[in-house]
Amino acid sequence: MGDRFAEIERACREMEKRGIRVKRTSSLWETAPMYVIDQDRFVNGACEVETHLGPMELLDALQDIENTMGRHKVIDKGPRNIDLDILLYGDQKIHNDRLSVPHIGIREREFVLRPLAELIPDKPLYPEKPWKLVQDYLNELPLDENLSPLIPLSPTMEPMSSFKATRRTHVMGILNVTPDSFSDGGVNTISSLPARISSAIASGATILDVGGQSTAPGTPEVTTDEEIARVLPAIHAIRSMPEGKSVAISIDTYRAAVAEAAVKAGADIINDVSAGQMDPKMLQTMARLGCTVCLMHMRGTPATMQNMTDYTVSGGVVGGVASELVARVRAAEEAGIRRWRIILDPGLGFAKTPRQNIRLLGALNELRSWPGLVGLPWLVGASRKGFVGRATGVKHPAERIWGTAATVAAAIQGGADVVRVHDVKQMAQVARMADWIWRLVDSKKEKI
């Protein structure tokens, strides 16, 4: 039925046009079809809206959107490009020949309750049973192991599926075009870029992360114009190569203007180490551009972050990182970023001690199951970092391959969906083997 993400995002825009403000969205969950099973898999989500329309006026508006988008219902419960239903309307209970609220069958359908529980887990589903909450109804259902949230990366790639047990880990190759990055500053030049890009893709990179401003402690900031001038040639180079059309491009920046220029040049993902905290325009820019974003945990700035490693108030670094990321996710949602467009990063090396970095690396499953973060995919970037050198005794970043390999394997065991690495050839092999150990061994589709 076409581009499922595009259809859903268009429906959200159509609601906004009609005065139905989309306040927050759930993840988008892919499910097998019910009733009429000989059709493609469905994508389901929920959104919390604010409107002056009454229930019946809202229903009319939603049906008008369906008609505008060309929905044609040929078979009941059959294929359709869009299907908009009212699940709840405040605390009202409505039943007439056109509308039933709460929606009929809601408590029996995991594909409805799961996205609803992301938004309002502690809300009673039925007014006459105020003690029984949305999450309670979800907990009563048998878990559908095939139900998984989807996250789009680029138009040419299959979306990520962060709950799918047999998913492959994405390898994000680092492409710094800076003279002063801690590990590979000055390595990538205009003349060397094509060979570097081609090698990374051939070695297994599915995402290339382009950066034009080092975030290493003590590194001076460059101007916005200089950062743009550094990253755009790299993005153009990737997109001009035949093999570059098969990968997603991520722009590593905390500046809204750089992010916008990069996306217009062909980037698919905005990777912000500050999760929108270092540029007040960033979250709104992300929302307006409508692309997938990575929100990383950090405190302060690259210049001050290593003085901000006390997580005592939060009961430790895991609780601190989780609770602060919950707040950043909420800020992103309030700015208009769709939940199905959010990837998280625990921020190894940013406002953490070496021991805290290692603690986080071993606690990814805890982060993945943290209330408010469930269903969101995770990116982990430990490549060549200082704590790896401290733990292994290897001084020079470029020589920290074996230590990095251990962090990649640990991240995948913990549930990471993306690993960000310098040494793509070696780490893609580590990721592949780790996938076989923890994800693919029971897959009937994979051959070995």
Side-chain angles (χ1 to χ4, degrees), residues 310-357:
D310 186 352
Y311 294 87
T312 306
V313 173
S314 305
V317 68
V318 176
V321 168
S323 60
E324 289 169 28
L325 278 177
V326 168
R328 297 316 302 158
V329 169
R330 178 54 67 95
E333 291 176 324
E334 290 175 352
I337 298 170
R338 308 307 182 201
R339 191 176 181 88
W340 59 77
R341 288 284 184 180
I342 296 175
I343 301 170
L344 298 178
D345 181 340
L348 302 182
F350 290 77
K352 285 99 182 170
T353 66
R355 194 176 295 272
Q356 288 170 340
N357 289 316

Side-chain angles (χ1 to χ4, degrees), residues 19 21 37 77 79 94 111 116 134 144 149-150 168 189 201 203 219 250 273 304 370:
R21 187 170 80 87
I37 61 174
K77 305 294 192 299
I94 304 164
F111 65 83
L116 199 58
V134 169
D144 181 356
L150 298 180
R168 289 178 180 272
T189 62
I201 296 172
S203 297
T219 303
S250 169
V273 297
T304 64
W370 199 272

Side-chain angles (χ1 to χ4, degrees), residues 180 212-216 218-224 226-227 230 254-255 278 301-303:
D180 50 4
Q213 164 68 61
S214 174
T215 52
T219 303
E221 285 192 61
V222 300
T223 66
T224 298
E226 173 64 21
E227 187 178 352
R230 289 177 176 182
Y254 51 78
R255 289 178 168 138
M278 291 181 66
T301 69

Side-chain angles (χ1 to χ4, degrees), residues 101-309:
V101 173
H103 194 276
I104 294 175
I106 189 172
R107 63 184 181 184
E108 302 163 1
R109 299 172 180 175
E110 186 182 1
F111 65 83
V112 176
L113 283 174
R114 190 164 290 281
L116 199 58
E118 288 183 297
L119 297 175
I120 50 170
D122 300 325
K123 180 179 175 61
L125 190 55
Y126 299 100
E128 65 271 23
K129 294 183 178 180
W131 61 87
K132 196 164 185 179
L133 311 177
V134 169
Q135 188 66 50
D136 296 328
Y137 286 100
L138 177 60
N139 292 342
E140 290 177 351
L141 294 180
L143 181 66
D144 181 356
E145 295 182 353
N146 294 315
L147 190 67
S148 179
L150 298 180
I151 302 88
L153 294 175
S154 85
T156 61
M157 296 173 63
E158 288 293 316
M160 286 198 300
S161 185
S162 60
F163 272 19
K164 187 177 180 181
T166 56
R167 69 192 185 279
R168 289 178 180 272
T169 304
H170 283 274
V171 175
M172 174 186 276
I174 298 170
L175 196 65
N176 285 326
V177 283
T178 55
D180 50 4
S181 289
F182 83 96
S183 174
D184 57 356
V187 170
N188 298 311
T189 62
I190 294 297
S191 59
S192 68
L193 274 175
R196 183 87 172 186
I197 293 165
S198 182
S199 174
I201 296 172
S203 297
T206 52
I207 308 170
L208 294 178
D209 191 42
V210 179
Q213 164 68 61
S214 174
T215 52
T219 303
E221 285 192 61
V222 300
T223 66
T224 298
D225 288 343
E226 173 64 21
E227 187 178 352
I228 291 173
R230 289 177 176 182
V231 301
L232 291 195
I235 295 171
H236 290 146
I238 297 168
R239 285 293 177 241
S240 68
M241 301 170 65
E243 58 267 47
K245 294 177 174 58
S246 65
V247 298
I249 299 176
S250 169
I251 176 64
D252 179 6
T253 185
Y254 51 78
R255 289 178 168 138
V258 177
E260 181 151 14
V263 170
K264 288 180 178 178
D268 305 289
I269 302 165
I270 300 172
N271 181 14
D272 181 2
V273 297
S274 77
Q277 296 183 95
M278 291 181 66
D279 185 337
K281 296 180 180 178
M282 179 58 102
L283 294 181
Q284 288 77 11
T285 299
M286 288 173 165
R288 178 167 49 80
L289 293 172
C291 57
T292 295
V293 304
C294 182
L295 306 178
M296 194 191 82
H297 177 270
M298 183 176 74
R299 289 175 167 180
T301 69
T304 64
M305 61 185 180
Q306 292 313 113
N307 298 320
M308 306 175 73
T309 60

